[in-house]
Amino acid sequence: MSITAAETKAERLNIAVVGSGIAGLSAAWLLSQRHDVTLYEADDRLGGHSNTVRVPSPTGPLGIDTGFIVYNEQTYPNLTALFQHLDVPTEASDMSFAVSKDDGGFEYAGRDLPGLFAQPRNILRPRFWSMLRDLWRFYREAPRDIDMIERQGMTLGAYLDLRGYGAAFRDDHLLPMASAIWSTPTDGIAHYPAGAFLRFCVNHGLLQIARRPIWRTVTRGSAAYVFKLVSGISGRIYKNRPIRRVERLGGRVKIWDMGGESAEHDHVVIATHAHQALAMLADADDRERDLLGAFGTTRNLAVLHTDRSLMPKRKLAWSSWNFVETEGVGAPPPYLTYWMNRLQNLPAPTDYFVTINPSHPPKAGSILHTESYAHPLFDARTAAAQRQLWDIQGRGGVWFCGAWFGAGFHEDGLQAGLAVAEALGGVRRPWQVADESGRIFLSQEAAEISARRTLDA
């Protein structure tokens, strides 16, 4: 690969982008400024985790998101700039968090005092006060420990043990919160790299008691921005066309779909999960197998419904994000329920919920939509692999991008997609933000080229 050569090429390239999540869409959209882009999507819709379901209501049709829902302007700088550039309307949201355990035997919401004591007996629980004491200590001390944690390569569980945080804080607050953020079982969160976890929390204002970032949601659903990105793609767009094989032919790249049809392109951008990208490569080398093979995923079922039984028992505890767990031998895994009326400011008398991996099906007649999403899993191996991913970019005309280049969120996928488009296509995003690729790891060459283009702009 020569990023410098890609930067100076003046000819119009024929580029395929495989996958239409935020990484693939942003890469295809930006590359379309100068090149012919063909987009391939395995599903029958575009957008990946941006998935707005239209629901009829007495006040008119509602657009309810079931994947990507919220962002904030402080820690999603490129997404904020993209929405401003595309004139996508957004509005303030609410990011309150509640925990309900033991079939409602223990509940609280972290948004305010009435929420903390939605269950009055919390006042008399020593375990509850222990959780609050450790919470304040963690918010105060953990950011100061990040450098030490990263030097030692500690997991989150090891760090909590080192600093003597109690079971109440660990099991009743921190692990449920992290599980909700990453859509990952709580037992996996303890193995997450503590440094990466804490940097994410600090960057997102999650360890601030006051002056937290204002979270926002796309007005009437994220499909609004998907439509505008798709409208800016220069070439053909194929849905229901999964790609089975990608092979480098020495100057060209050939792809085959599941139906046996093939096409040749100058370059191919694979904007899927890492394991899917690896499975497509017919000629992956040891380096590609090692780096792409470091990333796993977890499947999560998202159910849009109106069943209140999948919320905390006490209405005072209802929050935007609700972690619900039934404890005991043989109990099902915990689940997360989003209260969409609060998250998206829905103008409707009916309460709408999205539950991730419900422990039991919502009651008959309450289900409006179901969707299966894959989320990347992170550990010490993935943290090491992320620092080297740019080394395999552009080999024989094959490029990779996705949210797994960073922390697994929309800004990470967008940064990866834009960076690939700029390195491959000699194009430049139509805005400037500080630390524009700060959530992913670029090669020094790519970072220098990006800096030059910023100065030229």
Side-chain angles (χ1 to χ4, degrees):
M1 176 195 67
S2 174
I3 297 177
T4 304
E7 181 190 32
T8 57
K9 281 185 177 180
E11 71 268 24
R12 196 172 182 89
L13 297 172
N14 179 343
I15 301 171
V17 175
V18 180
S20 72
I22 182 62
L25 285 181
S26 60
W29 171 77
L30 187 55
L31 285 166
S32 292
Q33 292 184 4
R34 185 179 294 182
H35 305 288
D36 297 315
V37 177
T38 304
L39 179 65
Y40 298 88
E41 169 56 49
D43 208 341
D44 60 0
R45 63 172 183 84
L46 305 175
H49 284 215
S50 294
N51 184 8
T52 305
V53 177
R54 298 299 172 189
V55 175
S57 82
T59 58
L62 301 173
I64 303 180
D65 284 322
T66 61
F68 164 71
I69 303 170
V70 293
Y71 75 104
N72 72 70
E73 295 180 349
Q74 178 177 319
T75 55
Y76 290 65
N78 286 281
L79 191 63
T80 299
L82 175 68
F83 287 169
Q84 292 172 346
H85 180 77
L86 297 178
D87 196 24
V88 174
T90 68
E91 57 196 73
S93 179
D94 171 86
M95 281 288 281
S96 53
F97 178 66
V99 172
S100 176
K101 305 182 75 171
D102 195 21
D103 197 27
F106 172 67
E107 292 187 336
Y108 73 90
R111 63 182 179 273
D112 52 26
L113 283 176
L116 281 174
F117 300 104
Q119 188 175 23
R121 75 178 70 171
N122 288 344
I123 298 174
L124 304 176
R125 283 183 162 131
R127 180 182 174 99
F128 185 75
W129 291 105
S130 170
M131 179 193 78
L132 292 181
R133 283 193 299 272
D134 275 351
L135 184 151
W136 285 94
R137 181 163 69 92
F138 184 83
Y139 283 19
R140 184 177 64 253
E141 296 178 358
R144 301 201 297 258
D145 286 338
I146 291 178
D147 290 340
M148 176 273 293
I149 290 168
E150 291 183 329
R151 285 196 304 271
Q152 298 187 23
M154 300 179 70
T155 65
L156 181 59
Y159 173 70
L160 295 176
D161 290 341
L162 175 69
R163 291 300 189 218
Y165 288 101
F169 170 68
R170 176 191 179 109
D171 298 334
D172 297 346
H173 179 74
L174 190 67
L175 296 188
M177 181 185 72
S179 174
I181 292 172
W182 274 278
S183 298
T184 300
T186 51
D187 56 359
I189 292 295
H191 302 291
Y192 195 92
F197 173 84
L198 290 173
R199 287 197 184 279
F200 176 87
C201 290
V202 169
N203 291 340
H204 284 72
L206 299 178
L207 303 185
Q208 297 171 208
I209 299 299
R211 298 189 299 276
R212 288 190 170 193
I214 297 173
W215 290 82
R216 304 187 66 81
T217 188
V218 177
T219 302
R220 293 183 294 279
S222 60
Y225 94 77
V226 172
F227 174 80
K228 293 193 174 186
L229 279 181
V230 170
S231 298
I233 295 175
S234 59
R236 295 289 303 273
I237 297 174
Y238 296 100
K239 293 185 285 187
N240 293 308
R241 194 165 177 186
I243 299 304
R244 174 178 58 87
R245 181 181 175 91
V246 176
E247 185 174 358
R248 289 162 279 211
L249 301 176
R252 299 278 284 175
V253 185
K254 190 171 184 178
I255 63 175
W256 287 263
D257 65 19
M258 291 297 183
E261 294 188 40
S262 63
E264 289 189 14
H265 300 272
D266 295 317
H267 294 264
V268 173
V269 177
I270 305 180
T272 66
H273 287 287
H275 73 281
Q276 294 170 323
L278 182 57
M280 291 179 202
L281 289 179
D283 49 10
D285 60 23
D286 290 342
R287 182 79 163 146
E288 290 167 333
R289 281 191 288 269
D290 180 55
L291 295 179
L292 297 176
F295 297 85
T297 60
T298 179
R299 297 300 300 190
N300 294 289
L301 177 67
V303 183
L304 172 61
H305 63 92
T306 58
D307 184 0
R308 297 158 64 99
S309 72
L310 289 159
M311 288 286 283
K313 302 296 183 184
R314 296 161 182 82
K315 187 70 180 283
L316 272 177
W318 281 23
S319 298
S320 295
W321 296 43
N322 303 271
F323 177 91
V324 183
E325 182 176 33
T326 301
E327 299 175 313
V329 177
Y335 59 87
L336 177 69
T337 296
Y338 302 113
W339 187 12
M340 301 310 299
N341 300 63
R342 182 174 287 236
L343 277 168
Q344 290 191 268
N345 307 310
L346 298 179
T350 302
D351 287 315
Y352 294 95
F353 312 105
V354 171
T355 297
I356 309 299
N357 301 324
S359 63
H360 60 276
K363 67 182 180 182
S366 70
I367 298 177
L368 302 171
H369 185 79
T370 61
E371 195 77 34
S372 178
Y373 294 109
H375 293 87
L377 292 171
F378 299 103
D379 56 21
R381 185 184 175 199
T382 61
Q386 284 178 332
R387 297 177 179 275
Q388 305 170 67
L389 284 174
W390 215 260
D391 295 344
I392 61 173
Q393 293 286 34
R395 290 184 175 188
V398 175
W399 304 73
F400 308 94
C401 59
W404 45 277
F405 272 63
F409 296 92
H410 240 54
E411 177 72 14
D412 305 284
L414 178 58
Q415 289 192 15
L418 294 173
V420 162
E422 291 177 343
L424 161 60
V427 291
R428 174 66 190 162
R429 70 195 75 183
W431 58 76
Q432 294 185 30
V433 296
D435 203 19
E436 64 182 22
S437 297
R439 291 170 62 147
I440 62 175
F441 296 93
L442 297 183
S443 68
Q444 182 176 352
E445 182 183 14
E448 290 172 352
I449 290 173
S450 178
R452 287 203 304 274
R453 291 194 185 128
T454 298
L455 291 174
D456 292 342

